[in-house]
């Protein structure tokens, strides 16, 4: 009987020795978990006229260097596109340079792979700035973007604005055989 009580007391001491440090060292991990971002996206006009498009950014902190992928999936393109227009919101105050904007065929990443441009699509890029400070980027690919099963992306390499918030970018595309651009969809990115 005495041996059993000594053995259980020894087991409790060993358990305390192993359990307390494990709890103390795992506490910072719980703090990191609280920084997880919610999968909720806010869109201003939630009517049938607006289409939500997929996007990815490498760094969402204000003032930091960022790569933003604006995806054009096969379901977003009904016909071949001759021109893509990216309307940039007024409050998104970041310097745009032609060298830092590109159009590419993209592999959209997931759990096992990263998002990556597979092939750059040669295109002429034009940055427009109106007097009302509206900015847009026109992309004219040398050959039309086909409406096949490939995904494409507009890649912006910019410094994030110094003001945090939600920024809604709109996309318009000129289909093959038409002279007017039509609405493709909108991306709402978040800067913390």
């Amino acid at each position: 009987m005495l041996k059993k009580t000594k053995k259980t007391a020894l087991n409790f001491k060993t358990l305390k020795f192993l359990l307390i440090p494990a709890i103390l060292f795992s506490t910072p991990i719980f703090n990191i978990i609280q920084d997880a971002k919610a999968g909720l996206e806010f869109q201003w006009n939630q009517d049938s006229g607006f289409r939500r498009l997929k996007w990815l950014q490498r760094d969402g902190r204000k003032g930091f260097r960022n790569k933003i992928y604006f995806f054009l999936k096969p379901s977003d393109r009904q016909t071949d596109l001759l021109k893509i227009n990216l309307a940039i919101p007024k409050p998104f105050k970041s310097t745009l340079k032609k060298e830092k904007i590109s159009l590419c065929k993209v592999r959209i990443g997931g759990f096992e792979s990263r998002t990556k441009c597979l092939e750059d699509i040669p295109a002429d890029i034009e940055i427009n700035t109106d007097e009302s400070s509206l900015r847009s980027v026109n992309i004219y690919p040398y050959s039309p973007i086909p409406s096949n099963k490939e995904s494409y992306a507009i890649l912006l390499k910019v410094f994030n604005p110094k003001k945090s918030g939600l920024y809604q970018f709109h996309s318009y595309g000129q289909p093959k055989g038409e002279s007017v651009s039509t609405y493709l969809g909108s991306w709402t990115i978040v800067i913390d």
Side-chain angles (χ1 to χ4, degrees), residues 21-90:
I23 291 172
L24 290 176
F25 286 113
S26 66
T27 305
I29 294 173
F30 294 125
N31 214 4
I32 294 170
I33 291 173
Q34 292 175 354
D35 290 339
K37 305 285 187 236
L40 179 68
E41 182 178 317
F42 175 77
Q43 197 96 12
W44 275 269
N45 292 323
Q46 282 287 342
D47 61 5
S48 61
F50 282 83
R51 292 191 61 212
R52 199 177 334 194
L53 299 177
K54 303 289 183 200
W55 55 275
L56 173 78
Q57 65 180 353
R58 295 284 184 208
D59 195 346
R61 295 176 288 176
K62 55 186 176 180
F64 279 75
R65 183 176 297 179
N66 195 5
K67 276 186 180 180
I68 306 171
Y69 291 89
F70 296 107
F71 298 123
L72 292 169
K73 296 167 114 180
S75 59
D76 302 330
R77 305 180 320 270
Q78 304 305 323
T79 62
D80 296 357
L81 295 176
L82 298 173
K83 170 188 160 186
I84 300 171
N85 178 284
L86 177 66
I88 300 169
K90 279 186 201 180

Side-chain angles (χ1 to χ4, degrees), residues 98 100-104 117 120 125 139 153-157:
K98 288 183 185 180
K100 302 290 183 177
I101 301 170
S102 63
L103 177 68
C104 64
C117 278
D120 281 337
I125 296 171
I139 301 171
I154 300 168
L155 176 61
L156 290 182
K157 296 176 186 174

